[in-house]
Structure formats: C-alpha cells, structure tokens
Amino acid sequence: MPAFSAHRLFAAQALLSTGWAEDVLISVGGDGRIAAVEPGQVPAAGDEATTGPVIPAMSNLHSHAFQRAMAGLAEVAGSGDDSFWTWRETMYRTVGRVDPDDVEAIAAKLYVEMLKGGFGRVVEFHYLHHQADGTPYADPAEMSLRILNAAHATGIGLTHLPVFYAHANFGGVAPNPGQRPFLHDPDRFLALLQRLVPASARVGAELGYAIHSLRAATPGEMRTILGEAPVSGPIHIHVAEQTREVEDCLAWSGRRPVEWLLDEMPVDRRWCAIHATHMTAQETERLAKSGAVAGLCPATEANLGDGIFPATDFLAAGGRFGIGTDSHVATSVAEELRLLEYGQRLRDRRRNRLAAPGASVGRTIFDAALAGGTQAAGLGTAGIQVGARADLVVLDGANPYVAAASGNQILDRWLFALGGEAVRDVMVAGQWKIRNGRHDREEDIDRAFARVLSKLK
Ligand SMILES: [Zn+2]
C-alpha cells in the first residue's frame, strides 16, 4: 500500500476489471492511479462513500473539437441529395471563421460535455492547423497548443493526434481552397510532431499522429511519415467512410480502401481505422485479424448518412472496436453505444445483435469499447484494477432506474433507457472533474463558448 492515498472511495457496487463487485474500497494513490481494490469491505471513517455505482470512464477515440460549434447547423435540407460532401462544405465555412481563441473555447466546452457524458479521455484527430488562407500561425503548433490548453483546463485526459493532410483525392490531387488550413508537406509535419513532443509531455498528454485519409496523402508521403515520425503513440486514419471513397479508391488502385490499407501499410495494434464502414467480408475479417481498432462513431455516421458498420461480422472475427463522437452531434457514451447496437438491429430486423446468447448487450459493448478505446488512445491498461489510471464514473444512485438496478442491469438501464443525465461524478487521473453533474470552471467555459457561437451565427 502507498503511504499516501489521495482518495479512499467506498462503492456499494463497482464494475471491476474482473466483473461486478459489492462493498468495494478503491484506494487512489497520489500519482492518480488505483493503488488497491478491495471488495467486501466496511466503510471506515474518512472514506468517501460514492452516491451510486462506480464504473470505468471511457476513452472517446475520435474527435474534431471545432466541429462541436456547428453541430445542429447543417440540418437544413439543400438540393434533396444532401450527403457527407455537402455537409463538408458547411464544415469548411466554419473552419474559415474560427481563430485559436475560438478553437480553445469550443474545445473546452466540448470536453466538459464529454466528461459529463462519461468519457474520461479524448483522442483529438486534429487537422485544423493554419489560418483560413493557409498561412501558418507565428507558432506553427498554435492550434495544437490550444487543444492541449483546453484539455488541461477541463482535466479530461488527452491523446493528441496532429493530422497529416496534403491532397484533395487519391493520386495526389491538388488540394482545394477550403482545405488550406489543413495542409503540410511531410517535413513540416514531422517538425510539428517534434515540437509537440515536449509540449504534450508537459501537460501529461499522449502523442500519436494521424493520416487524414488515403485521399489526403500519397503512399510515398505516408511511408516517409511512418518511417520518420518521432513518436511511438497511436496511428489513426479515416478509411472507407463513404461509398464514393470506395469507388475513387477502386478507380485509382483497383483495390478498396481497407484492402489497400491492409496490403500496403504495416497495420497492427498501434493503428485505428476510423469508420471502416464499407468493407467486404474479406476486408472485415482481415481488419479484425490485424489487431487494429475500428474507430466507430455511430451518431456522426448516422447524421452524415455514411452507412452501417458490419459490427456483427467484425466481432465474430475477433475484431476490436472503440467509440468516438467525431463531429459531436452527440457527446455521450450512452448515445454512441446505443446507436451502434440499434444500427445493427435496423439492418438485421432483429434484437440484441452484439451480445452472445444470455449476455447483457450493455455490458458486452461497454467492455469492448472500453478495451478498444484504451488501445486506440495509446494507454496500457484501463478499467478498475490496480495500476490503472483512476478514470472513474459514478452513476447517479438517486436516479430511481439506477437505484433499483444491480450488476449488468445498471449498464443496460444507462445505455438503453437513460443517457448523460445518469452520470453524476467523474474522476480523471485521481481528481474529481465533475461533481454532482457540474464542472467547477463551467460558468467561465460557457461564457467563452457563447461568445464564439454568437460570432458564428
Ligand atoms: Zn473524423
């Protein structure tokens, strides 16, 4: 036992890495990690009794923070044939109107919302690097530093992924004007990563990187970056989100996007394939066997009309997945996991698609997304066990649905009948960030965010 425990939490029910347990004393060390987990205890004087069941906080494996400011603003019908591609034009207009102060304010608001939704960490897939006309800021890392600031100010854990983006389509097509704030050549991108190594370490953020998509980088550029990147963290890429991307990839290479990625790149546990919506049975099997995580963003994929990920086949092949909120039309664990399961039900016209017979769907997909999110965030261990970071969620024991539930029913009630309102307290790395549904910097963060929204009207 450590000499000093920052917290001694007593929970009537807790979801440990070994399963549900009762009367659990969770000791958190001064280093923010779990020092001891002891079921079957009696609370002692000075122990903090949690007001409801304790479960692990989830990693949100895919975020473009600035897009939160436009969530809900792309819901006016256009030509009758609106798609991802017409939505992207709205997104590019937002990009052209936000400066570093705005991005920091949006990210801070979003990260508080994520904490309240049950996430303890965000993986920021960050491609908005420069000014609207493409001119780098005086410090080329300015926008990344603002993301680090927002995460630090709110206390959410951060895995930062600066994104390489150079082209408009397969075959090195020249970028269009709306893409100017995103662009690098490999040398400048590698310099950005180098600059962010100490900056990330200073605030305790993990650092990896992303290739925006196979559309946005040539094979040669990808190989240069993979060979020379000065970081060993996770590697993420958007792939096969849209059928047009599949058609364009076939026209360019004769292969489909996931097929090309698995053939040409050293895809392994370090990788996360964001969306991977459109795969053949063979691609599904190969991606599952690669050890990479599929980064699923069900609310955004539904909002954009992307399609339905083949989750039943992918899980049957042993695939790993995690969840992300991507464009942030939703910001909670419950909404993403519920939509993941519902997409499969709607496709198959059957119920309970992602659990084995007799198993709880909520528990099955929560456990899977926790493990996949942990891997995709570049963390070693998660869950409530000795040595893991103390990233914890306390569900609201005063909520009658939660109060009357036990074990896996708690997760099924939360994910399928409740939502963010069931999250009461959230601890990140041993510090309470949400108490009784509130963040202690919430008023300032809301004020700054309101200023940005009034500017974007
Ligand atoms: Zn994305």
Side-chain angles (χ1 to χ4, degrees), residues 62 64 238 326:
H62 192 62
H64 312 290
H238 291 126
D326 194 359

Side-chain angles (χ1 to χ4, degrees), residues 62-64 67 125 127 212 238 241 274-275 297 300 326-327:
H62 192 62
S63 165
H64 312 290
Q67 292 181 11
F125 193 110
Y127 61 83
H212 179 272
H238 291 126
E241 178 178 9
I274 303 297
H275 306 302
C297 310
T300 293
D326 194 359
S327 70

Side-chain angles (χ1 to χ4, degrees), residues 107 139 189 224 229 279 281 289 324:
D139 181 344
F189 181 71
T224 299
M279 296 192 287
K289 300 278 186 276

